[in-house]
């Protein structure tokens, strides 16, 4: 039985999602919402059916079409209001990264998922990569890990909102690497020191280059060195990765099979099941979670920490000091409680003790459709 979905957002990324939805036999697109109805109609054509209903009102179109879930493929500033509207309408949500524009808004959405008992999953799509899964298997064979690093160098000319963003590299791209680092290390961050800058030749308004050193649990270090205005000898979109441990080193170029050198012996870890490929993998995972009630990779409570890494890195770059992750979480939590207008969501937020513990535990109800 297919999952009936309404997609919000029919821009550039929205069209990629519409094509992915059309190719998934387990999903039925029943409506497209966009403030620009011409864009919504064009999106219906991309999805292969120009007769798909379109509209500007999510709740109304979802009710009219009998939708069972929502795909939030809007720009970051719209993530909080769109996802919140869907959750209040009783619909589980799969949203594009980041979970929200700020950590405070992301915490609000985690509490909203608890209050409504509906799933909110963030499509951290680059986790859906079998090479990344294999790299983690190689890292597990290093006898522990002391350090992990990512080198990222690309030079895309996007045009549009990205070229006008503040902290464009950290906010729009580095979150993929930060989230993957959490996945590979199987630990969460404790603190960060970061510097960011904009090279003189950059075509971005905000800082397009950054270097960050994160301390993770167990005193493990993660180093990120990235640039979005680095023409020539570019890395893959996933970056170049290196992990070191007492038994050897694991390497991954971001595009091909990873490998490891265990003091002269090639590593041969056990293979792991396929997770699918990028947004198609995220969509399939969401459908399984909605149908099974299992908590998927990317469920909002588990994903907030990746956005927190971004906020902490930006704060470090702006202040010139080391930033403690829990301080960012607690400040964002206080802001979320202060500005929250929904009483049920505010009560959920206020009931949390340690924010880190609340995110680690989540709510058993948030992975259920009913």
């Amino acid at each position: 039985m297919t999952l009936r979905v309404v997609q919000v957002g029919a821009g550039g990324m929205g069209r990629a999602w519409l094509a992915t939805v059309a190719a998934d036999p387990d999903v039925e697109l029943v409506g497209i919402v966009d403030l620009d109805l011409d864009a919504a109609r064009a999106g219906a054509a991309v999805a292969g059916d120009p007769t798909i209903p379109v509209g500007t009102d999510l709740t109304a179109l979802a009710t009219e079409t009998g939708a069972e879930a929502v795909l939030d493929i809007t720009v970051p500033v719209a993530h909080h209001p769109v996802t919140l509207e869907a959750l209040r309408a009783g619909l589980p949500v799969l949203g594009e990264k980041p979970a929200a524009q700020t950590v405070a808004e992301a915490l609000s959405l985690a509490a909203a998922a608890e209050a409504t008992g509906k799933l909110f999953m963030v499509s951290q799509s680059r986790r859906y990569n079998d090479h990344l899964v294999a790299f983690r298997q190689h890292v597990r064979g290093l006898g522990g890990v002391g350090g992990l690093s990512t080198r990222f160098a690309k030079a895309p000319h996007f045009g549009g909102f990205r070229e006008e963003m503040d902290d464009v590299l950290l906010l729009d791209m580095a979150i993929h690497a930060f989230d993957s680092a959490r996945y590979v290390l199987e630990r969460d961050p404790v603190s960060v020191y970061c510097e960011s800058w904009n090279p003189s030749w950059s075509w971005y308004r905000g800082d397009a280059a950054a270097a960050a050193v994160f301390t993770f649990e167990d005193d493990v270090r993660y180093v990120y060195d990235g640039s979005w205005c680095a023409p020539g000898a570019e890395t893959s979109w996933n970056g170049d990765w290196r992990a070191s441990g007492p038994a050897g080193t694991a390497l991954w170029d971001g595009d091909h099979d990873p490998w490891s050198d265990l003091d002269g012996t090639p590593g041969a870890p056990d293979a792991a099941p396929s997770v699918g490929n990028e947004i198609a993998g995220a969509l399939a995972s969401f459908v399984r979670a909605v149908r099974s009630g299992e908590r998927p990779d990317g469920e909002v409570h588990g994903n907030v920490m990746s956005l927190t890494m971004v906020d902490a890195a930006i704060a470090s770059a702006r202040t010139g000091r080391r930033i403690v992750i829990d301080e960012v979480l607690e400040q964002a939590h206080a802001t979320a409680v202060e500005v929250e207008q929904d009483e049920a969501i505010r009560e959920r937020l206020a009931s949390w003790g340690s924010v880190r513990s609340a995110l680690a535990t989540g709510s058993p109800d948030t992975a259920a459709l009913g």
Side-chain angles (χ1 to χ4, degrees), residues 104 107-112 114 333 336-338 340 344-353:
L107 294 177
S108 169
L109 291 176
E114 293 182 16
H333 179 250
V337 172
E338 179 182 356
E340 185 57 60
I345 296 173
R346 187 171 60 253
E347 287 179 356
R348 281 283 180 164
L349 286 166
S351 73
W352 294 353

Side-chain angles (χ1 to χ4, degrees), residues 28-105:
E28 179 185 358
L29 181 68
V30 297
I32 301 173
V33 176
D34 200 291
L35 296 177
D36 182 344
L37 286 177
D38 287 338
R41 294 186 187 102
V46 169
D49 182 0
T51 68
I52 292 172
V54 301
T56 59
D57 186 315
L58 168 57
T59 301
L61 190 62
T63 300
E64 173 190 327
T65 59
E68 299 173 276
V70 169
L71 306 181
D72 180 1
I73 318 300
T74 57
V75 294
V77 69
H79 287 184
H80 182 270
V82 170
T83 297
L84 184 58
E85 180 180 352
L87 293 173
R88 283 172 168 165
L91 298 168
V93 181
L94 173 61
E96 258 294 340
K97 62 83 187 167
Q101 192 171 21
T102 67
V103 176
E105 288 185 348

Side-chain angles (χ1 to χ4, degrees), residues 240-293:
D240 287 336
W241 293 74
R242 182 185 184 101
S244 298
T249 295
L251 300 171
W252 180 43
D253 69 1
D255 276 344
H256 305 95
D257 289 335
W259 62 281
S260 53
D261 180 349
L262 306 181
D263 197 20
T265 301
D270 293 336
S274 174
V275 295
N277 185 50
E278 296 195 351
I279 62 175
L283 180 61
S285 177
F286 177 69
V287 173
R288 287 194 302 271
V290 169
R291 294 305 191 204
S292 69

